[in-house]
Amino acid sequence: MAELGLSYKKDENFGEWYRQVLLRADMIGYTDISGCYIIRHWAMKIWENMKAFFEAETDEMEIESCTYPLFVTRDSLEREKNHIEGFTPEVAWVTEAGKSELKVPVAIRPTSEAIMYPDFSKRIRSHLDLPYKQNQWVNVVRWESNPTPFIRSKEFLWQEGHTAFATKEEADHEVQEMLELYRKIYEEYLAVPVVKGQNTELEKFAGALYTTSVEAFIPNAGRGIQGATSHCLGQNFAKMFDIKFENEMQEKAMVWQNSWAYTTQTIGVMVMVHGDDRGLVMPPKVATLQAIVIPVIYRDVDTEAILDACRKTVVTLKKAGFRVKADLSRTSTPGQKYWHWEMKGVPLRIEIGQRDLDKNQVRFVRRDNSEKVDIPLNNNLVERVKDTLDRIQQNMFDVARERRDACIQVGRTWEEFTEALNQKKMILAPWCDEMDVEEDVKKRTKAEGEMGAAKSLCTPFEQSELPEGTLCFASGKPARKWTYWGRTY
């Protein structure tokens, strides 16, 4: 157990701090292909814990599981022109097999509409086939030019749902239903505050009728990040892929479609928001381990009695459903073990030493705030662990929300907007909702700053009052809504 702390501070060199935390916590490994990372057990279990929650919810919604092929033909991919134009720079193509050049190159999926919808057109014939709901957990490839582990990678894992309905009302309802699931993943599981809203016409998913999203913000980087998306595709793809059904009047009609997804980017957001200068900090609901039991063994103690108490504690907590283990290794000191599991972000440390045995107690040490408390070893140990983990979960969300809210600034004029942008803020500004004005904001902020262009994040569903006569911060025209803006990943 090597004692390798962090050589970068979160507030001083955020990018290097982030990469170092991922390595020290053993969450990723690098390969010889830039932007392709090994997702190690410590991170993969976080993904699996989120998946367990999500699948339980989608099972209740009667969404079926499936897996579609990795490859897609050029003809299928290019059938919806706006859709493929949105992905063209990132599409990876297979042009050879062995030593032979393929007569027809195939793309590795950047998303699966063009793979799944030809099958939808075969499966859906009647209104009795609707709603048709499919979800898959797969990998996708988008050839990112500036990769960052979890945040922007050439290959990543995601959950990808595709559904078809008889009416727009049903589709609209599901868009919001899935967006609420994504809010729960971020706020109730990852303890990361998000804003629910609708994307602008310029930022919506290519080919969609409209796009909704949950938007997170990374205070140390001063950048927003799109946490998950729920799209109403309208009937656009149905027309392209001929997805029709016979309604109750025995008339042919086009289906209304949605797609929705979140990715392993969630893990990166969690690390960025909660990590500190001692390493990773994991929210209990998604933590790979929720508690680590450590024997405090020095000279002149009853070693076997301490180890036995640790083992019994683990058995008790595992039976209660907690993810817990004991570090009984003899090659490291208690202090080295403390450091190791703090680096890996385990929410709760349970220490048992000779003093604890003598007093029939254990010591709880919280990772989120370093609070220490002695707990009597009586029949309520399980309840005390549950209560402590619940309080850690809530405190992590409260602290993250407070930090995020401190970064939100209202910008009513261009001068206020650019000043806030240069201070790494998330800006809520009155806007005229015109695409050419949004494009101009991108151009002007790219030209004026060194940190890249700003863009709209989303228009929040919860709108503050917009007084009559309020003008757009960028154009001076009458404002129609409040919209969040900022630099993004």
Side-chain angles (χ1 to χ4, degrees):
M1 191 180 290
E3 292 202 34
L4 295 173
L6 299 177
S7 54
Y8 296 97
K9 301 290 186 183
K10 187 176 184 180
D11 291 336
E12 296 174 3
N13 191 332
F14 182 70
E16 291 303 322
W17 167 87
Y18 172 69
R19 291 175 179 83
Q20 198 169 64
V21 168
L22 295 180
L23 289 172
R24 293 284 194 270
D26 201 26
M27 300 187 81
I28 67 161
Y30 285 87
T31 71
D32 55 0
I33 301 175
S34 175
C36 292
Y37 308 100
I38 302 162
I39 302 178
R40 300 203 185 279
H41 169 78
W42 205 247
M44 196 66 196
K45 291 301 293 185
I46 295 171
W47 180 245
E48 290 176 357
N49 291 334
M50 287 188 284
K51 181 180 179 181
F53 158 75
F54 194 84
E55 284 197 321
E57 296 288 328
T58 54
D59 283 348
E60 287 294 316
M61 297 164 68
E62 298 185 349
I63 295 170
E64 298 177 345
S65 298
C66 63
T67 300
Y68 279 75
L70 177 66
F71 303 110
V72 56
T73 65
R74 185 183 296 274
D75 287 346
S76 291
L77 197 59
E78 293 181 347
R79 197 175 297 184
E80 212 296 325
K81 296 298 183 183
N82 290 331
H83 178 63
I84 186 55
E85 284 177 5
F87 288 104
T88 294
E90 299 173 349
V91 175
W93 293 92
V94 178
T95 59
E96 295 180 3
K99 296 182 179 180
S100 301
E101 185 173 324
L102 296 182
K103 293 181 180 179
V104 181
V106 293
I108 302 174
R109 62 176 166 229
T111 180
S112 298
E113 284 77 5
I115 303 172
M116 298 176 75
Y117 295 166
D119 183 58
F120 274 39
S121 70
K122 299 172 186 176
R123 300 278 292 177
I124 298 171
R125 288 285 182 263
S126 161
H127 66 91
L128 299 176
D129 300 321
L130 297 174
Y132 189 68
K133 305 178 182 181
Q134 301 290 304
N135 180 62
Q136 62 176 0
W137 298 84
V138 293
N139 59 339
V140 293
V141 171
R142 297 179 186 175
W143 214 255
E144 292 282 354
S145 57
N146 295 298
T148 298
F150 290 120
I151 301 300
R152 296 286 183 193
S153 55
K154 286 185 170 68
E155 180 185 10
F156 55 88
L157 304 179
W158 75 353
Q159 157 280 315
E160 180 183 11
H162 294 268
T163 53
F165 300 91
T167 66
K168 183 176 183 294
E169 289 74 21
E170 291 174 285
D172 288 339
H173 175 77
E174 191 205 51
V175 166
Q176 294 300 323
E177 193 173 24
M178 299 314 301
L179 197 67
E180 175 60 13
L181 274 190
Y182 294 139
R183 182 203 66 78
K184 287 182 178 180
I185 286 173
Y186 271 92
E187 295 196 340
E188 298 179 16
Y189 280 75
L190 296 169
V192 172
V194 292
V195 176
K196 290 168 63 175
Q198 184 163 326
N199 291 180
T200 65
E201 284 296 301
L202 190 63
E203 295 297 332
K204 73 179 183 181
F205 181 66
L209 180 62
Y210 65 87
T211 289
T212 66
S213 64
V214 289
E215 300 287 334
F217 190 77
I218 312 299
N220 288 80
R223 293 184 181 274
I225 188 162
Q226 190 172 79
T229 50
S230 182
H231 315 285
C232 179
L233 304 179
Q235 295 180 309
N236 192 22
F237 287 90
K239 293 173 183 176
M240 294 299 105
F241 291 93
D242 195 33
I243 309 174
K244 298 176 182 177
F245 70 102
E246 188 176 83
N247 62 24
E248 293 177 350
M249 305 296 293
Q250 296 186 326
E251 300 168 334
K252 289 291 184 182
M254 292 286 178
V255 299
W256 292 84
Q257 290 179 264
N258 293 338
S259 68
W260 26 269
Y262 78 99
T263 80
T264 40
Q265 186 182 70
T266 50
I267 300 171
V269 173
M270 180 203 77
V271 175
M272 288 181 165
V273 169
H274 298 304
D276 60 22
D277 289 341
R278 289 182 292 151
L280 182 65
V281 184
M282 292 191 294
K285 282 190 176 181
V286 297
T288 306
L289 275 184
Q290 294 173 310
I292 183 71
V293 180
I294 296 180
V296 182
I297 298 175
Y298 296 106
R299 291 181 180 179
D300 302 322
V301 299
D302 190 341
T303 299
E304 287 307 314
I306 293 173
L307 294 177
D308 186 56
C310 289
R311 294 186 189 100
K312 288 180 178 178
T313 299
V314 169
V315 169
T316 298
L317 295 179
K318 279 190 173 182
K319 282 183 178 179
F322 296 107
R323 298 185 293 276
V324 57
K325 67 176 286 186
D327 186 345
L328 305 181
S329 61
R330 303 293 184 98
T331 57
S332 301
T333 67
Q336 289 172 326
K337 293 177 182 180
Y338 299 165
W339 169 87
H340 176 75
W341 294 108
E342 283 181 353
M343 179 66 72
K344 293 178 77 69
V346 176
L348 179 63
R349 185 170 80 235
I350 301 175
E351 302 172 7
I352 302 177
Q354 188 65 54
R355 181 180 66 90
D356 302 301
L357 283 186
D358 294 342
K359 294 184 177 182
N360 195 36
Q361 67 180 27
V362 297
R363 170 163 286 189
F364 283 8
V365 183
R366 288 172 52 165
R367 177 64 180 88
D368 62 321
N369 62 9
S370 301
E371 177 184 278
K372 299 179 181 180
V373 60
D374 293 329
I375 306 296
L377 262 182
N378 50 33
N379 293 332
N380 72 347
L381 177 64
V382 168
E383 289 75 15
R384 292 298 296 268
V385 169
K386 181 182 183 304
D387 177 68
T388 302
L389 293 177
D390 287 345
R391 287 189 288 113
I392 292 171
Q393 183 81 29
Q394 187 61 51
N395 182 62
M396 289 181 67
F397 177 74
D398 292 343
V399 170
R401 182 172 56 186
E402 183 178 345
R403 290 195 68 211
R404 191 279 309 268
D405 289 351
C407 293
I408 296 175
Q409 191 162 319
V410 174
R412 299 178 182 275
T413 65
W414 182 256
E415 289 73 22
E416 291 178 356
F417 176 85
T418 54
E419 181 180 359
L421 188 66
N422 291 331
Q423 293 174 354
K424 297 184 176 182
K425 302 293 185 180
M426 180 179 179
I427 305 151
L428 184 61
W431 182 45
C432 61
D433 195 19
E434 295 184 10
M435 189 180 297
D436 60 337
V437 173
E438 184 174 3
E439 290 175 335
D440 188 56
V441 170
K442 282 188 174 183
K443 292 177 183 176
R444 291 168 69 183
T445 52
K446 185 176 182 179
E448 293 177 9
E450 298 180 356
M451 296 177 62
K455 68 175 187 177
S456 65
L457 305 178
C458 73
T459 296
F461 292 126
E462 293 185 5
Q463 285 279 307
S464 302
E465 181 183 357
L466 190 66
E468 187 175 349
T470 301
L471 301 180
C472 171
F473 78 99
S475 67
K477 299 177 182 179
R480 298 179 59 190
K481 58 183 65 172
W482 290 98
T483 297
Y484 281 107
W485 302 76
R487 293 191 172 96
T488 63
Y489 278 98

